[in-house]
Amino acid sequence: MSVHNFNSGPSILPKTVMEEASRAIIDFNGTGLSVLEIGHRTPLFQDVLQEAIGSVKKLMELDDAYEVLFLHGGATTQFMQVPMNLLDNNETAAYCDNGIWGKKAAKEASLFGNVNVVADTSDRSHTYIKKDFAVPADAKYLHITTNNTVEGTQWHQYPEVAVPLIGDMSSDIFSRPADFKKFSLIYAGAQKNMGAAGVNMVVVKKDILGTIKRSIPTIMDYRKHIEAGSLMNTPPVFAVYVSMLTLRWIIAEGGLKEMEQRSNAKSALLYNTIDSLPVFTSRIAKEDRSQTNAVFFLSDPQLEAPFLDLCKKEGMVGVKGYRTIGGVRVSMYNALPISSVQAFCDLMKEFATKNG
Amino acid sequence: MSVHNFNSGPSILPKTVMEEASRAIIDFNGTGLSVLEIGHRTPLFQDVLQEAIGSVKKLMELDDAYEVLFLHGGATTQFMQVPMNLLDNNETAAYCDNGIWGKKAAKEASLFGNVNVVADTSDRSHTYIKKDFAVPADAKYLHITTNNTVEGTQWHQYPEVAVPLIGDMSSDIFSRPADFKKFSLIYAGAQKNMGAAGVNMVVVKKDILGTIKRSIPTIMDYRKHIEAGSLMNTPPVFAVYVSMLTLRWIIAEGGLKEMEQRSNAKSALLYNTIDSLPVFTSRIAKEDRSQTNAVFFLSDPQLEAPFLDLCKKEGMVGVKGYRTIGGVRVSMYNALPISSVQAFCDLMKEFATKNG
């Protein structure tokens, strides 16, 4: 039976990335050493790190005002690290609460300064993106979650604001071109579109750093990581390596425009199928639907368990909705082939025919 | 040419661990999925994590007063996380400064409370372990670095103290049996004796937690990680998996007694060779020499570069001393076969004959 991997993260990676990573664990670039046993200060790893950084800058078209860091931890680490570096005790940061991750990010920020939730979509169970809100001029920054992995919504146009914009792009990074220079800081856990779990990437505009009075623990200080070139301590070598391979694959396949075209095709196929079959129902505002994480439900809740059982039986992995939301979630990251989405849609149709 | 890997970390891992990890990247346990793309809340990963935790408890003979956590980051993260969780602003922690890592740990603690350096071996360039020192009764804890990777010293008997003892065991963890219950907290970055870079292990006695007034960021709070069973956020899945495999290997090979016997044999061979050849010289007090990281010098500094060149030519990887110390450093972790130490000693003798 073939397996179709719709996991929300850790999630599917390109086949060629897996193959190369598997080989490198036995022999890295003909050195006779495993990639797991090379020193992180050797030219061997320097080449890996520099290629990863260069690929990010190229894909995002960043200039030298920005630095790219690969750090330990995931996006949850950044929920703390962002305000620790940017928000003084007496300052206020603006947060959009469009779902579970934005809410968690705001909660951590409240340990470091004041938090102003300028947009809250809990009134409609986070099924839309609120775009009409004001950000106080003295807010230190505005934080948004560009794609809500759990709820299935996505910002398709980034907000225009006068304060520094910060984006948690964990679940839609490198899925489409954008004007990334609108952001002063972008972060993402790697384990969706960028690689394996265990590393997070931070893109930071240098001019927002150094504006607070707090003493920052060394390992949390972006400036110290910049000085050390992401080598302040032993980095998560293998996770950085897998990110480098995945970024190389994105570029070789045609870059962000190509990723967007594939994403458009996959998500159109799935959403059209949902909309055409009354047995399924999407609660998300159409214009805010996520192209990477489609969250939907069985119109008759009694059919949810049988449908998920069928998915399991047919090798559709990771399609159960998030534990607090329920329903179905189909994640369509860069590495997911459209044939997997087609197979899933065929199964939906088969199920609809039998249960229509 | 065969390669002998004396890297100080990331460092050599058992061959069978590499082979199994390499296979799992293509197909994990016959699931048709890569270990890089499995969900961290699935039974697949639960089994990995629980085996890793169980192996640590078994090897260290820990009772239920202790919890074992696998967290993002390395030991450097713990330099901050330990005092953040345990040291209130008006309290004092005692630190032993036996070298670069202990000094860094003390520096981070000073951001959270008062630090009392109760033993400082910089008077003799950190070439010994100071054992006669007093710890104030009101110290919140005493922090030691059980093995000094850079300087080449090691605690062979842990100190007896009346306050909670905390050990950074990054570079000698699982190299020998000990009464680990002497410690209230033990931490270690994985990339030496325990696995790949990108995860650190914390063993913590629960009764020392919850004694401070500070608000701790969620991702840094040991209690929250205990509640969540090391699954508060997406863990570094692959790094935990490699640790599990390495722990499984240690147990299969005979556990900590066997690791100690091998370590004794390897380090005796190397130190005897150093002591027998006047061209080499060790500056470390004999009773404090590290069994995992032998640091030594060429008696004639002019011979250092030629010796290191010869090592490179003969496939001896990672034997250059730490950048601030110079000289030669030979790391002999669990996975290093004694044949590699023998090959290195043969090369030392050959060099001594030509330059004696």
Side-chain angles (χ1 to χ4, degrees), chain B residues 182-195:
Chain B
K182 277 188 176 173
F183 289 86
S184 291
L185 192 147
I186 293 165
Y187 64 89
Q191 67 270 15
K192 295 164 199 292
N193 261 343
M194 201 171 61

Side-chain angles (χ1 to χ4, degrees), chain B residues 31-49:
Chain B
T31 55
L33 294 172
S34 166
V35 68
L36 302 183
E37 57 177 357
I38 60 170
H40 58 286
R41 295 191 192 278
T42 60
L44 292 170
F45 182 68
Q46 281 296 339
D47 288 350
V48 169
L49 181 60

Side-chain angles (χ1 to χ4, degrees), chain A residues 3 5 7 9-13 18-19 21-23 25-26 31-34 36-41 72-74 76-77 80 84 107-108 111-112 191 195-199 215-220 224 232-238 242 317 323, chain B residues 3 5 7 9-13 18-19 21-23 25-26 31-34 36-41 72-74 76-77 80 84 107-108 111-112 191 195-199 215-220 224 232-238 242 317 323:
Chain A
V3 171
N5 186 353
N7 270 329
S11 46
I12 189 168
L13 292 175
M18 311 282 203
E19 288 166 352
S22 175
R23 278 194 299 271
I25 285 186
I26 301 299
T31 55
L33 293 171
S34 165
L36 303 183
E37 57 178 358
I38 59 169
H40 58 289
R41 296 192 191 279
H72 286 281
T76 308
T77 314
M80 160 192 67
M84 190 184 262
K107 178 171 173 267
E108 295 308 305
L111 295 178
F112 297 93
Q191 68 270 15
V199 66
S215 294
I216 304 170
T218 307
I219 191 72
M220 287 293 136
K224 301 262 173 71
M232 180 200 294
N233 69 334
T234 311
V237 170
F238 182 73
V242 176
V317 171
R323 52 203 147 94
Chain B
V3 171
N5 185 353
N7 271 329
S11 47
I12 190 167
L13 292 175
M18 311 281 204
E19 288 166 352
S22 175
R23 278 194 299 271
I25 286 188
I26 301 299
T31 55
L33 294 172
S34 166
L36 302 183
E37 57 177 357
I38 60 170
H40 58 286
R41 295 191 192 278
H72 284 282
T76 309
T77 313
M80 160 192 68
M84 191 184 261
K107 178 172 172 266
E108 296 307 306
L111 295 178
F112 298 93
Q191 67 270 15
V199 65
S215 294
I216 304 170
T218 308
I219 192 72
M220 288 292 135
K224 301 261 172 72
M232 179 201 294
N233 69 333
T234 311
V237 171
F238 182 73
V242 175
V317 171
R323 52 204 147 96

Side-chain angles (χ1 to χ4, degrees), chain B residues 54-275:
Chain B
S55 296
V56 171
K57 284 192 170 171
K58 181 178 174 166
L59 286 169
M60 291 191 153
E61 300 178 10
L62 300 172
D63 57 36
D64 289 342
Y66 290 86
E67 293 280 348
V68 177
L69 301 171
F70 283 90
L71 304 177
H72 284 282
T76 309
T77 313
Q78 292 307 318
F79 295 171
M80 160 192 68
Q81 197 162 354
V82 163
M84 191 184 261
N85 277 269
L86 300 177
L87 185 63
D88 241 336
N89 300 26
N90 58 343
E91 295 177 326
T92 298
Y95 276 75
C96 287
D97 175 359
N98 286 324
I100 184 168
W101 299 116
K103 186 187 280 298
K104 282 180 192 254
K107 178 172 172 266
E108 296 307 306
S110 70
L111 295 178
F112 298 93
N114 304 309
V115 169
N116 182 348
V117 177
V118 291
D120 177 352
T121 52
S122 59
D123 57 338
R124 280 158 48 198
S125 304
H126 301 305
T127 55
Y128 71 110
I129 297 287
K130 191 169 183 175
K131 293 141 209 145
D132 56 329
F133 57 86
V135 179
D138 66 344
K140 195 70 183 288
Y141 59 80
L142 170 68
H143 179 284
I144 66 170
T145 314
T146 58
N147 183 76
N148 294 288
T149 332
V150 168
E151 294 80 6
T153 60
Q154 186 175 24
W155 285 87
H156 293 297
Q157 293 284 335
Y158 298 130
E160 298 288 341
V161 287
V163 304
L165 183 60
I166 293 182
D168 172 1
M169 293 196 182
S170 294
S171 53
D172 66 352
I173 193 142
F174 303 131
S175 67
R176 57 186 178 178
D179 181 6
F180 296 104
K181 290 195 282 290
K182 277 188 176 173
F183 289 86
S184 291
L185 192 147
I186 293 165
Y187 64 89
Q191 67 270 15
K192 295 164 199 292
N193 261 343
M194 201 171 61
V199 65
N200 70 86
M201 187 196 71
V202 175
V203 169
V204 58
K205 201 171 176 186
K206 282 172 280 188
D207 67 3
I208 62 164
L209 300 176
T211 65
I212 62 162
K213 291 190 276 304
R214 174 183 307 114
S215 294
I216 304 170
T218 308
I219 192 72
M220 288 292 135
D221 192 331
Y222 295 134
R223 293 165 304 175
K224 301 261 172 72
H225 283 289
I226 290 170
E227 278 169 33
S230 285
L231 286 173
M232 179 201 294
N233 69 333
T234 311
V237 171
F238 182 73
V240 174
Y241 172 69
V242 175
S243 288
M244 180 277 280
L245 292 178
T246 308
L247 290 159
R248 185 188 282 176
W249 175 85
I250 293 173
I251 291 170
E253 294 288 304
L256 300 190
K257 273 190 194 157
E258 175 66 21
M259 295 300 120
E260 183 180 44
Q261 279 183 11
R262 295 181 190 183
S263 178
N264 287 347
K266 288 183 285 186
S267 57
L269 175 58
L270 180 62
Y271 283 117
N272 287 341
T273 305
I274 295 169
D275 293 342

